[in-house]
Amino acid sequence: MSLRESLPQWSRSQSICEPSESSIRELRRLRGITMIGTTKKIVAWLMDQDPCKRFEIKEHRSKRSLSANAYFHVLVGKIADVERVSANHVKNSLIRDCMYYQYDKDKIPTFETKAENLESMLDAEGIHVYPLGESYRDGCAYSKFCFLRGSHTYDTREMSHLIELTVAQAKDSGVETLTPRELKEMMERYDRNWKKHHPAEEE
């Protein structure tokens, strides 16, 4: 983009080679612009710009590769923003869909609380519960539940399942996700890191 194209106006008292102070400030501002966003956001932004200007568009790539668990939380936040719900609601819902118990699946301890308490526990921070039904006694409703493991404990198979569900929900909500190749590379890194820190669990 040439200097003349970048600057909307020049000082009439100066030659074309000598821009006014306001034009110099505008040039410095334009040189510092970086527009990062989805295709829709960039197109909307471009529609508001001077049609005579020229722009260079490059694909944005993160400087640092996210771990699978970190990427899960990034998508959770974006989904929550679109659906206008809390991030805890989205995260806990996805973890319930995976249903990986905190204890041995053959010996799952169950707990009970008043039904009204379980509602708040479903969207709580730091705990993940799965409802197992209700019972009534003494005129009160009680809910049974068990605890589920958090995503930071997932092995490669479990994390792959979680990412698959999360990506599907993100796409349904119109949230941009990594490409299949990028997702594959991310899970390969996760697998290498898991095996490095859990050598005794390898077959």
Side-chain angles (χ1 to χ4, degrees), residues 14-190:
Q14 295 173 309
S15 69
I16 194 67
C17 296
E18 298 178 9
S20 66
E21 290 185 7
S22 62
S23 295
I24 291 175
R25 288 195 298 270
E26 176 69 5
L27 176 59
R28 288 172 178 169
R29 185 186 69 81
L30 288 171
R31 283 177 174 172
I33 286 179
T34 300
M35 177 62 188
I36 298 176
T38 63
T39 303
K40 291 181 179 179
K41 288 182 179 179
I42 291 176
V43 169
W45 181 82
L46 287 172
M47 293 298 291
D48 291 333
Q49 307 307 307
D50 186 340
C52 296
K53 293 181 181 178
R54 300 174 66 189
F55 298 88
E56 179 181 4
I57 297 178
K58 296 181 180 180
E59 181 181 359
H60 174 68
R61 292 184 179 275
S62 299
K63 295 181 180 179
R64 175 177 172 272
S65 297
L66 291 175
S67 70
N69 193 38
Y71 182 60
F72 163 63
H73 285 86
V74 167
L75 286 186
V76 161
K78 292 182 177 180
I79 293 170
D81 289 342
V82 171
E83 298 185 358
R84 296 184 178 182
V85 296
S86 70
N88 284 341
H89 176 85
V90 176
K91 178 173 68 175
N92 291 349
S93 177
L94 286 162
I95 287 177
R96 282 195 297 276
D97 289 342
C98 287
M99 207 163 67
Y100 296 127
Y101 301 111
Q102 186 169 347
Y103 303 94
D104 190 310
K105 64 181 181 180
D106 296 324
K107 300 178 181 178
I108 303 172
T110 60
F111 302 86
E112 193 175 68
T113 184
K114 287 186 177 180
E116 59 196 51
N117 295 334
L118 183 63
E119 289 300 317
S120 61
M121 291 172 66
L122 291 176
D123 292 344
E125 173 73 32
I127 63 170
H128 313 291
V129 299
Y130 188 86
L132 298 172
E134 291 187 352
S135 62
Y136 297 86
R137 63 177 184 272
D138 301 327
C140 293
Y142 292 86
S143 296
K144 288 186 177 181
F145 65 93
C146 64
F147 286 104
L148 301 176
R149 289 189 284 114
S151 59
H152 67 283
T153 69
Y154 287 6
D155 61 22
T156 304
R157 179 185 61 82
E158 294 167 338
M159 180 58 72
S160 180
H161 182 203
L162 177 63
I163 292 296
E164 180 181 349
L165 293 177
T166 308
V167 167
Q169 184 170 341
K171 289 181 177 179
D172 288 343
S173 299
V175 173
E176 186 176 12
T177 65
L178 296 178
T179 65
R181 179 179 178 179
E182 291 170 328
L183 290 169
K184 182 175 181 292
E185 291 173 349
M186 181 182 69
M187 290 311 306
E188 287 174 348
R189 291 194 302 271
Y190 189 88

Side-chain angles (χ1 to χ4, degrees), residues 10-15:
W10 299 81
S11 171
R12 293 182 180 179
S13 62
Q14 295 173 309
S15 69

